[in-house]
Amino acid sequence: MYNRRTLQQKTFLILLVLASIAFALVLLPLWVPVFWGAVLAMMAVPMRRQMMQRVPWLQAQPGTASALTVLMVLLGGIVPVGLFALALSAEVLAFYQQHASDPQQLARHVDTLIGRLPPTLTGMLQQFGLSDAAALRDRLLAALARGSQAIAAQVLSLGQNLFESLLSLALTLYLMFFLLRDGAHLSRRVRQAMPLAAEHKTRLIGKFATVVKATVKGSIVVALVQGLLGGLAFMVLDLRAPLLWGALMALLSLLPAVGAGLVWVPAVLWLAADGRIGAAAALVAWGVLVIGLADNLLRPLLVGKDTRLPDYLVLISTLGGLSLFGVHGIVLGPAIAALFIAAWDLLAADTVGPAAASAAARSRRSLATARAIRSCDCRYSGSRAAAAAAASPAADPGGPYSRS
């Protein structure tokens, strides 16, 4: 009987693993809409809750509340992002076509820039083999040609991939609706099915959800603010393609420790080499005092200091996520890093906790033994003193020194 029960358990576990792997393979081609549907649903839960609290009749109709939440996300977030992407693609094409159609203008800019550089920067360029204006100009033109061809290919394939993009968006919103409506029930089922201790499940799931919310609500919002501030500065200083550079600044702002400075610092050098010292000084002040402080001021308000991972871990996990998952790695990288840290913290707590408890118990036993020994010594000393007092002769009140 015991062997048969063991065989049944092993067979069931094998079947469970095979079914899970098969289901994962089925979802693999659609992992992008599945992932973003879950992320958007997780972010929209507070909005749906507030809506149901303010409109009482929605509490009896969770499906209607979920549909209205999806519609608000679509109109308030996805549609503006799509319009911005269209405007950005048009500006990128115009920028590259302008410089690709007039390579001599770019060559004159490069010659002027190298001629106005200070000797220190000129020496640094010589170390990298970039002091030759003609060679640098040829490299820039070749890179410009490759970039323009790649962008043109992407724009041409946009119409071909339009149906696929719309289908992915529809699946994302569809999954978001059902996760909003049935998310609480599914979460309870997942928690019950996970073969982990209750505190472990709570900590792992909570850490994952916290980091995902922090990345989306904090990092992306701060990046958009920094990109908007940078694009505004470029537009005021009459630099070309401010929308393009603002979008690039927003993207790079997702990386801590480097961020938007990778865009506005070269722009400062360009302005200084072009003789616009006042504009360069203004951009430095704007970048340090406004763009640089946006992260320090907004991120604690949006996220909270206790939910952030170390900056070096965020940087490494974001770069690794970008290289492995593409743009989706901006969220996936830190989330996986958070699960890694939380799992090892739980292992350390389970390993160190029993040892510490055992040491504490031994210490308590030793202290109780010492107290018992001291108590016995005190009682023994008291009994000896009482016996000695009883054995000694009593003092005579009528002694030789007493008065009659």
Side-chain angles (χ1 to χ4, degrees):
M1 176 63 71
Y2 175 77
N3 292 333
R4 182 176 180 83
R5 185 183 302 114
T6 304
L7 179 61
Q8 290 175 351
Q9 292 177 350
K10 292 182 178 180
T11 303
F12 174 74
L13 288 177
I14 293 174
L15 178 62
L16 179 63
V17 171
L18 292 178
S20 301
I21 294 175
F23 184 68
L25 292 176
V26 169
L27 293 182
L28 186 60
L30 303 174
W31 76 270
V32 172
V34 170
F35 171 73
W36 283 109
V39 170
L40 291 178
M42 192 184 306
M43 297 300 300
V45 166
M47 182 191 308
R48 176 177 178 269
R49 186 184 301 117
Q50 292 181 1
M51 184 189 305
M52 296 178 68
Q53 291 176 354
R54 295 182 179 180
V55 184
W57 62 270
L58 287 177
Q59 297 180 2
Q61 298 182 0
T64 304
S66 301
L68 291 176
T69 305
V70 172
L71 183 62
M72 292 175 62
V73 171
L74 176 62
L75 297 179
I78 298 177
V79 171
V81 170
L83 295 177
F84 175 79
L86 291 176
L88 178 61
S89 61
E91 183 164 325
V92 168
L93 277 177
F95 178 78
Y96 278 104
Q97 288 176 356
Q98 179 182 3
H99 288 281
S101 60
D102 190 6
Q104 298 301 323
Q105 182 181 5
L106 179 62
R108 288 192 298 270
H109 282 303
V110 173
D111 295 337
T112 303
L113 177 62
I114 294 178
R116 292 180 178 178
L117 288 177
T120 304
L121 293 179
T122 304
M124 294 177 61
L125 289 177
Q126 289 177 355
Q127 294 179 359
F128 291 99
L130 299 176
S131 59
D132 187 4
L136 182 58
R137 181 176 63 249
D138 293 339
R139 292 185 182 183
L140 289 177
L141 289 175
L144 183 61
R146 290 194 298 268
S148 60
Q149 292 175 0
I151 292 176
Q154 291 294 329
V155 172
L156 289 177
S157 63
L158 182 61
Q160 300 175 358
N161 298 331
L162 182 60
F163 177 75
E164 182 180 353
S165 301
L166 292 177
L167 179 60
S168 179
L169 177 60
L171 289 176
T172 300
L173 297 178
Y174 181 79
L175 182 61
M176 177 186 173
F177 167 77
F178 283 102
L179 288 178
L180 283 173
R181 193 188 67 175
D182 306 328
H185 174 68
L186 292 176
S187 178
R188 286 192 299 268
R189 293 292 299 272
V190 170
R191 288 173 181 268
Q192 294 173 358
M194 291 178 64
L196 295 174
E199 56 178 328
H200 291 182
K201 291 186 284 188
T202 301
R203 186 167 180 179
L204 288 174
I205 296 176
K207 188 68 174 179
F208 180 81
T210 298
V211 172
V212 169
K213 292 178 182 178
T215 304
V216 176
K217 184 179 65 176
S219 300
I220 292 182
V221 170
V222 172
L224 292 176
V225 171
Q226 289 185 332
L228 179 62
L229 294 174
L232 180 63
F234 277 51
M235 183 176 62
V236 172
L237 296 176
D238 197 19
L239 291 172
R240 295 182 179 178
L243 189 63
L244 169 63
W245 300 119
L248 184 59
M249 205 176 300
L251 179 62
L252 293 176
S253 297
L254 298 172
L255 303 177
V258 287
L262 293 176
V263 177
W264 65 261
V265 170
V268 168
L269 298 178
W270 178 273
L271 291 173
D274 198 33
R276 301 170 59 183
I277 305 300
L283 186 56
V284 169
W286 185 264
V288 174
L289 299 178
V290 179
I291 299 177
L293 291 179
D295 181 76
N296 297 328
L297 294 178
L298 292 178
R299 195 181 298 271
L301 295 176
L302 295 173
V303 183
K305 295 181 180 180
D306 55 342
T307 61
R308 294 183 60 188
L309 294 172
D311 287 341
Y312 66 89
L313 186 59
V314 174
L315 175 62
I316 295 175
S317 59
T318 302
L319 291 176
L322 286 172
S323 63
L324 187 61
F325 303 107
V327 69
H328 318 289
I330 295 173
V331 178
L332 273 175
I336 294 174
L339 283 179
F340 173 80
I341 296 297
W344 279 97
D345 285 344
L346 291 175
L347 178 63
D350 290 342
T351 304
V352 178
S358 177
R362 289 195 300 269
S363 177
R364 288 193 297 269
R365 288 195 297 268
S366 300
L367 183 60
T369 303
R371 288 177 178 175
I373 292 174
R374 286 197 299 269
S375 177
C376 291
D377 290 342
C378 292
R379 289 196 298 268
Y380 178 71
S381 299
S383 63
R384 289 187 60 184
S392 63
D396 186 7
Y401 299 102
S402 61
R403 295 183 180 181
S404 55

